[in-house]
Amino acid sequence: MAGGIIPHPRAGRAPRVLVVEDHRYLGGLLRDVLPQGGFEVSLVTDTNGLETALETFEPDVILADFRLRGEDGLDLCRKVRSHALCGDVPVILHTAIDPRNLRLQEALTLPRVTLLLKPADFQTMVSLLREQISREPGAAEASHITM
């Protein structure tokens, strides 16, 4: 484990999910519904707010759309992996694009990056969020794609 990185939720608080979604309706829906799964949620609409959110919100997992305005999920994953404090936070890329997309495939080669295909039901999403939060950094990945 790298210095300063906390892989599991801190005792006494709900697990934190940082949602990165530029579609207003879906972002709002995830922000409003995920607390029903026991999560504390923060929403940013692009990668510009990512660094601030990583430092102030200290997420346990990131749920991000792959197609964002200006940058995509690969760019987002690279920014997260290079962040001094949150470089080990798991990232779940939530998308409807073809899983054979080359940039998506490249993102999935990065550590602790998983794919959740849209549409995903609430229970599947909650289960994957919890699984990724509880997985130790460096643990073998069971599967990169969840449908």
Side-chain angles (χ1 to χ4, degrees):
M1 177 169 69
I5 297 174
I6 301 169
H8 296 289
R10 292 191 181 129
R13 71 159 170 82
R16 292 182 176 172
V17 179
L18 176 60
V19 174
V20 185
E21 174 61 64
D22 60 355
H23 187 272
R24 218 176 276 236
Y25 175 77
L26 184 54
L29 181 66
L30 290 169
R31 182 195 59 227
D32 295 343
V33 170
L34 286 175
Q36 295 173 27
F39 301 102
E40 184 179 340
V41 180
S42 182
L43 171 66
V44 295
T45 57
D46 56 36
T47 58
N48 294 331
L50 180 65
E51 187 164 342
T52 300
L54 290 173
E55 292 174 10
T56 59
F57 185 63
E58 299 177 7
D60 298 304
V61 64
I62 298 167
L63 178 64
D65 187 13
F66 186 77
R67 289 189 178 173
L68 298 165
R69 287 185 205 108
E71 296 183 286
D72 66 16
L74 176 57
D75 300 317
L76 177 138
C77 289
R78 287 176 175 158
K79 285 182 178 185
V80 171
R81 290 295 159 258
S82 68
H83 193 273
L85 294 176
C86 296
D88 237 0
V89 171
V91 176
I92 299 171
L93 296 172
H94 189 220
T95 188
I97 69 169
D98 187 332
R100 295 172 294 186
N101 175 286
L102 293 179
R103 288 188 58 84
L104 178 58
Q105 286 299 312
E106 187 175 345
L108 292 173
T109 66
L110 297 173
R112 302 196 82 193
V113 176
T114 303
L115 175 62
L116 177 62
L117 293 174
K118 292 179 182 176
D121 66 83
F122 181 70
Q123 288 305 322
T124 299
M125 184 177 287
V126 167
S127 294
L128 184 59
L129 287 165
R130 290 192 183 286
E131 174 188 311
Q132 293 303 307
I133 290 169
S134 66
R135 182 172 284 158
E136 288 289 334
E141 297 284 329
S143 173
H144 282 297
I145 301 175
T146 303
M147 296 184 199

